[in-house]
Amino acid sequence: MRLKWVALCTAAMIALPMAAAEAAELRIGFTADALTLDPANHRNRETQTIIRNMHDGLLTRDSQMNVVPELAESWTALDPTTYEFKLRRGVAFHDGSPMTAADVKFTFDRLTGEGAMDGQTSPRKSLLGPLKEVKVIDDRTFHMILEEPWPILPAMLPFQEVVSKAHVEKVGTAGMAGSVSGTGPFKLVEWRRGDSVIMERYDGYYGGAADIPPMGKACVDRVIFKVIPENASRVAALLAGDVHIINGLPTHNVKQVESNPNTRVMAVNGTRSTFIALNNQTAPFDDLRVRRAVAYALDRKLIVDKILDGNATLIDGILSPDAFGKNEALPTYGYDLAKAKALLAEAGHADGIDVTLDVDGANKETAEAIASLLTKAGIRTKVAVNEASQLKARYRTKGKPIDGQMWLTSWGNGSLDPVGIFVPTHRTAGRGNSSGYSNTEVDALLDAANTETDRAKRASLYARAEAIVNKDLPKVYLWVAKDLYGVSNQVAGWQPSADSRINLHDACLK
Amino acid sequence: MKLGKLFERLVQLLPVLLGVSAIVFIMMTLTPGDPVDIMLGDQHVTEEQEQALRKDMGLDLPPLERFVKFIGNAATGNFGLSFYHRQPVMEVIASRLPATIELSLAALVFALALSIPLGVIAAVKKNSLLDRLATVSSLFGVSLPGFWFGILLLMLFAVHLNVLPVSGRAGFSSEVPPITYLLLIDTLLHGRFDAFGDALAHIVLPAVTLGLPMASILMRVTRASMLEVLEQDYITFAEAKGLSRYKILVKHALKNALIPTVTVAAIETGSLLGGNMVVETVFGWPGLGRLVVESIFVRNYPLIQAAVLIYAVTYVMLNFFADILYTVLNPRVRL
């Protein structure tokens, strides 16, 4: 009897991996679990990365970050406040029902209406700015009507996914948290909360964005997003072959992943600008000369090479080199120790100054490198490590007094449009203005650009604003770090993308 | 007697819970960090949009009013919506609690299975090489930081030897319809031995990491109390009667020596709750501990409140259970 049991168990254990090996199963070691599977009820990048493999949007971005049509076939601005969209033919939701303009209207009404989700209001409402209404013209045509000109509408639409009206009405907002009937390349199999999100190929897929070849069904049979929050464990999972792609590869693991014969590192320009916010409200950084001394004292290239393993691009203004409206002609504050010391002396600090650089735990090493370079120039810097949420509360005061001197921080800009980064970090009392900076000229330029519909004019407004900011130096602009992924050599056809989405439609397993 | 005592304890629990809620609430209110700001992330948002979200999350009310509202709702079992999951807190917690219970039980079983035999052997062979080795190892066991030891195990067994999975609770094919929600038991109940093997492989490393400090403490307690018992007159008497060594050790000595071990184990199980937070993060274990850590970082107030209450209830009940167990094992003590 006992022997029979043992034989049964052994047979089952042998049979199982064989069965699993037949299906191409692509596993992603991912930093966080989805908070919900409802595309309208979260405000979280990781959640969107997962959801985006099951839900498509009207527009999307290619790996070069260009906005291209996805469920939409085309779009045109009829006037500054009216956009006309044509939907693609032959798109069906996972339950087989066709997608029409009525679903699109329902989706955006649900996103923008007060209490439109069974009493809850979508936390994504503010991502749609002044969108007033979606007007259905026919099954494949609709208009998006804005309250005021909002030129970044196309740049913001890739953040929203179209849901099925019938499905939402059937399951309700509570049911949407755990069920999916989207138009994306993968269908939901199961969400094991905190552990993994399991999807399988949707055979009725329309093929995806025409501008991002290859079109067609997804390559792999099954995709599993495995939640592994701890960096070391995520890297271990990749090296052990448990997962095929990991996000958030720490720079100090790059060599380890590269030297493993089965894995490689893939990098993509990120969208997060790193800078040192200087408190412009009080001494010593209320003095432009001291702020400039900080900029000259920093050998940014050395830090990037030593700590980020070369995986970053230096910036001289807040915008990433890939962003719209980037001023390409900004002067650089190159490393010049003598100049830094001279500026400091000129400001009346010939004996140097003592300052504290605040930083969160994750960026401690970089802060220590910065501190040692600054100290060499006479800006004797002490590093204080604190929790990120606390530092935000102390520095992002919307114009009220800032509690601190300097903070090594960053601001992400998934849309790569200055509205998402320049305005909050530099406009007077902006929610990300961590230096207490206020310049009426910059404010006026940013406000004008906000509603300017002529692309060239709009870009030049931002370029002018960036030139002023580069001179005023409320922050010392450092770099845009690359996003690093560890990837198994079995994976082919997949490209990381700058907005940190992991689109698995084209990924295959060798 | 026991029922009356149980009721008394439950009544005593109420002020404890109220106190815990108040302390957690005050601490959360005083800690800098704005959930609305964290949720909005790096985006341009107008003041009106921000205020609308604040109102939606119920954070526009003054703190005292929020606290009173929370207590009122909590009394009816309603802990509100998790800010980030936008679902009832209790649903979110319920989806993660079984994994934590399973891991804690596995750690407890591991700790008992390792510590009792080792403690007995160390006591019987007092001052031998084995005894010293066990005593010194237990010192390490208590001192090793969980996140470091966990990663070490992971590198060895999952990466270099490649015999155990790195993270998670089970592979794709190993999920079975829940009965008890404890995967190890459910897989057996369904007769899915392949899935049981898979679940066991997944739980070994986290359970060992979590259970090691407890095993070390219990080993020392067992050893000390066994030494004490072995010197008692009745043991000498049993020896004089000519009983076998095995019978003396197991039937007479161990039975009495285990009283402190069992009570300490019951209390220590409470401390597993803290260890869970670290171990679940390292091993990507889908439990409550990790959820709470993540919630603290993003100031998810409703979830933290509810989770801390669950922790408090568990801890108090475990202590009560330890008291009862003590009286059962040692009839000389009356509650």
Side-chain angles (χ1 to χ4, degrees):
Chain A
M1 181 66 197
R2 188 181 287 175
L3 204 68
K4 205 168 143 194
W5 274 119
V6 172
L8 255 173
C9 292
T10 320
M13 279 178 183
I14 293 169
L16 181 77
M18 279 169 68
E22 280 166 18
E25 180 178 289
L26 178 64
R27 292 181 296 269
I28 316 299
F30 198 53
T31 37
D33 190 20
L35 295 170
T36 171
L37 298 182
D38 184 346
N41 213 359
H42 70 91
R43 189 73 191 235
N44 179 269
R45 215 179 231 228
E46 286 85 359
T47 302
Q48 183 167 30
T49 293
I50 293 173
I51 284 180
R52 223 21 173 110
N53 283 290
M54 297 181 282
H55 280 283
D56 280 358
L58 290 174
L59 310 180
T60 187
R61 287 179 188 272
D62 63 16
S63 56
Q64 269 69 53
M65 292 300 280
N66 301 308
V67 176
V68 296
E70 195 169 32
L71 293 174
E73 194 175 77
S74 63
W75 79 91
T76 15
L78 300 178
D79 60 59
T81 56
T82 314
Y83 286 72
E84 182 174 276
F85 288 81
K86 273 254 176 267
L87 284 176
R88 183 195 271 276
R89 281 173 212 277
V91 179
F93 289 106
H94 296 161
D95 61 8
S97 60
M99 181 204 61
T100 67
D103 294 303
V104 178
K105 179 175 170 51
F106 178 82
T107 298
F108 286 89
D109 286 354
R110 191 165 177 260
L111 283 161
T112 53
E114 203 66 47
M117 302 191 306
D118 297 345
Q120 291 188 46
T121 305
S122 170
R124 301 184 80 69
K125 183 175 154 73
S126 60
L127 293 172
L128 285 164
L131 176 67
K132 194 166 72 182
E133 113 172 83
V134 172
K135 212 161 144 188
V136 176
I137 305 298
D138 60 44
D139 259 9
R140 285 185 52 226
T141 319
F142 62 90
H143 287 173
M144 281 198 164
I145 300 163
L146 306 170
E147 265 165 26
E148 57 181 26
W150 195 51
I152 66 165
L153 176 71
M156 295 304 281
L157 283 179
F159 292 117
Q160 311 296 351
E161 298 87 30
V162 175
V163 295
S164 150
K165 181 169 186 266
H167 181 70
V168 177
E169 282 172 353
K170 191 172 109 196
V171 301
T173 287
M176 280 299 283
S179 73
V180 172
S181 177
T183 55
F186 294 97
K187 294 192 289 189
L188 176 71
V189 175
E190 192 187 352
W191 178 23
R192 296 180 189 162
R193 291 181 185 221
D195 184 84
S196 51
V197 183
I198 303 163
M199 312 168 195
E200 66 184 13
R201 182 176 49 224
Y202 170 42
D203 286 326
Y205 189 52
Y206 65 92
D211 298 273
I212 312 176
M215 288 198 50
K217 286 183 273 184
C219 185
V220 293
D221 303 310
R222 188 186 302 136
V223 159
I224 301 182
F225 275 87
K226 275 178 79 99
V227 185
I228 315 179
E230 169 61 35
N231 289 342
S233 315
R234 216 164 48 252
V235 173
L238 176 75
L239 297 178
D242 268 17
V243 297
H244 302 101
I245 299 175
I246 58 167
N247 72 330
L249 176 70
T251 42
H252 60 260
N253 290 112
V254 164
K255 289 205 171 73
Q256 192 183 10
V257 171
E258 271 171 350
S259 62
N260 183 309
N262 304 320
T263 55
R264 65 190 191 274
V265 174
M266 289 178 88
V268 64
N269 278 343
T271 56
R272 180 165 286 278
S273 299
T274 302
F275 50 86
I276 307 172
L278 301 170
N279 180 354
N280 289 212
Q281 297 167 335
T282 53
F285 296 122
D286 56 349
D287 188 327
L288 176 60
R289 291 166 298 190
V290 182
R291 299 202 294 271
R292 286 191 175 162
V294 173
Y296 283 119
L298 287 179
D299 187 348
R300 295 179 295 166
K301 190 169 177 312
L302 180 78
I303 303 176
V304 167
D305 286 345
K306 294 280 175 210
I307 295 178
L308 302 178
D309 215 27
N311 288 303
T313 313
L314 299 185
I315 47 173
D316 296 300
I318 188 70
L319 297 178
S320 130
D322 300 331
F324 172 79
K326 172 77 188 165
N327 186 335
E328 307 285 354
L330 290 176
T332 297
Y333 291 84
Y335 176 55
D336 190 337
L337 199 57
K339 210 165 181 174
K341 284 182 177 164
L343 278 165
L344 211 56
E346 203 184 308
H349 305 296
D351 297 334
I353 48 172
D354 291 284
V355 290
T356 302
L357 173 64
D358 285 306
V359 68
D360 60 88
N363 297 299
K364 184 171 163 250
E365 211 184 337
T366 313
E368 275 163 355
I370 289 173
S372 88
L373 284 166
L374 291 181
T375 303
K376 269 189 202 155
I379 304 165
R380 291 179 293 272
T381 309
K382 204 176 84 192
V383 173
V385 180
N386 212 325
E387 191 208 9
S389 304
Q390 298 207 23
L391 290 170
K392 278 180 195 165
R394 280 172 48 200
Y395 279 87
R396 295 183 186 165
T397 54
K398 297 181 191 161
K400 294 195 194 81
I402 287 169
D403 173 21
Q405 291 181 305
M406 56 203 305
W407 177 29
L408 174 65
T409 181
S410 64
W411 190 275
N413 185 23
S415 68
L416 282 177
D417 190 281
V419 164
I421 183 165
F422 207 156
V423 179
T425 55
H426 287 77
R427 207 190 175 289
T428 302
R431 56 180 289 266
N433 190 340
S434 41
S435 1
Y437 177 62
S438 174
N439 181 324
T440 47
E441 207 183 338
V442 171
D443 290 356
L445 286 166
L446 293 178
D447 289 351
N450 217 5
T451 50
E452 176 59 63
T453 45
D454 182 302
R455 271 179 75 83
K457 271 193 204 155
R458 192 165 171 259
S460 84
L461 289 168
Y462 285 124
R464 273 165 60 197
E466 220 183 5
I468 300 172
V469 164
N470 170 276
K471 242 183 234 157
D472 282 356
L473 217 63
K475 308 170 190 321
V476 174
Y477 307 99
L478 300 174
W479 52 73
V480 172
K482 290 196 167 137
D483 289 341
L484 301 177
Y485 296 82
V487 183
S488 153
N489 289 339
Q490 282 179 282
V491 176
W494 179 76
Q495 282 293 328
S497 90
D499 53 7
S500 78
R501 272 168 52 183
I502 300 178
N503 298 327
L504 297 168
H505 171 240
D506 301 336
C508 296
L509 279 177
K510 284 189 280 195
Chain B
M1 190 283 296
K2 292 277 159 53
L3 265 183
K5 202 75 199 163
L6 182 71
F7 182 72
E8 199 184 312
R9 275 297 173 106
L10 286 176
V11 172
Q12 281 171 3
L13 194 59
L14 286 178
V16 172
L17 293 184
L18 198 67
V20 167
S21 300
I23 291 170
V24 174
F25 189 85
I26 292 168
M27 270 162 49
M28 285 193 313
T29 316
L30 292 182
T31 313
D34 176 8
V36 178
D37 189 65
I38 297 168
M39 186 159 185
L40 287 172
D42 297 347
Q43 287 290 340
H44 170 54
V45 183
T46 64
E47 192 62 33
E48 296 80 57
Q49 288 166 336
E50 193 178 327
Q51 287 315 323
L53 187 60
R54 192 173 301 280
K55 194 166 167 235
D56 194 54
M57 287 157 84
L59 289 168
D60 55 332
L61 304 172
L64 190 65
E65 207 171 313
R66 274 193 282 141
F67 184 65
V68 172
K69 209 169 150 189
F70 165 76
I71 294 292
N73 286 336
T76 63
N78 172 13
F79 288 88
L81 289 183
S82 157
F83 288 165
Y84 294 85
H85 304 84
R86 315 267 299 173
Q87 292 148 53
V89 160
M90 273 309 167
E91 266 178 36
V92 180
I93 289 181
S95 72
R96 305 286 284 265
L97 196 57
T100 289
I101 294 175
E102 181 166 39
L103 178 58
S104 304
L105 288 178
L108 180 67
V109 169
F110 162 76
L112 290 173
L114 184 72
S115 62
I116 295 173
L118 269 183
V120 171
I121 295 170
V124 173
K125 308 228 179 261
K126 194 183 158 195
N127 290 335
S128 67
L129 185 68
L130 199 77
D131 175 30
R132 287 192 186 154
L133 209 65
T135 316
V136 171
S137 309
S138 78
L139 198 66
F140 275 104
V142 180
S143 334
L144 291 180
F147 66 90
W148 180 81
F149 182 62
I151 288 172
L152 213 68
L153 287 179
L154 220 149
M155 292 313 284
L156 180 64
F157 289 101
V159 179
H160 290 295
L161 301 176
N162 215 340
V163 289
L164 290 170
V166 176
S167 79
R169 199 173 169 201
F172 169 69
S173 329
S174 304
E175 197 81 358
V176 292
I179 300 171
T180 63
Y181 287 88
L182 304 180
L183 204 51
L184 282 174
I185 296 174
D186 286 354
T187 47
L188 284 181
L189 291 177
H190 283 283
R192 286 278 311 275
F193 298 101
D194 57 321
F196 175 76
D198 182 52
L200 194 64
H202 277 85
I203 207 170
V204 168
L205 294 183
V208 167
T209 312
L210 183 63
L212 192 73
M214 186 175 177
S216 308
I217 294 169
L218 292 184
M219 197 291 275
R220 306 191 118 208
V221 172
T222 310
R223 178 181 176 274
S225 91
M226 192 73 184
L227 279 177
E228 199 185 313
V229 169
L230 285 177
E231 276 168 22
Q232 302 282 322
D233 291 344
Y234 72 88
I235 298 291
T236 321
F237 181 70
E239 277 169 354
K241 264 199 328 191
L243 286 181
S244 74
R245 184 84 176 136
Y246 174 80
K247 224 170 183 176
I248 293 171
L249 282 179
V250 173
K251 219 172 158 194
H252 294 271
L254 186 61
K255 202 176 153 197
N256 286 313
L258 273 187
I259 297 172
T261 309
V262 171
T263 42
V264 171
I267 295 167
E268 278 292 312
T269 306
S271 70
L272 288 180
L273 296 176
N276 263 321
M277 297 188 183
V278 174
V279 173
E280 286 178 7
T281 304
V282 170
F283 291 97
W285 190 260
L288 183 61
R290 208 179 84 209
L291 183 70
V292 171
V293 173
E294 288 162 358
S295 298
I296 291 171
F297 281 131
V298 294
R299 307 285 188 267
N300 193 353
Y301 297 156
L303 203 146
I304 302 170
Q305 283 277 14
V308 170
L309 280 186
I310 289 176
Y311 283 153
V313 172
T314 313
Y315 209 88
V316 172
M317 291 320 284
L318 280 173
N319 272 291
F320 178 49
F321 179 66
D323 289 351
I324 292 182
L325 210 60
Y326 198 78
T327 58
V328 172
L329 291 173
N330 191 348
R332 282 171 299 180
V333 180
R334 289 266 168 268
L335 271 181

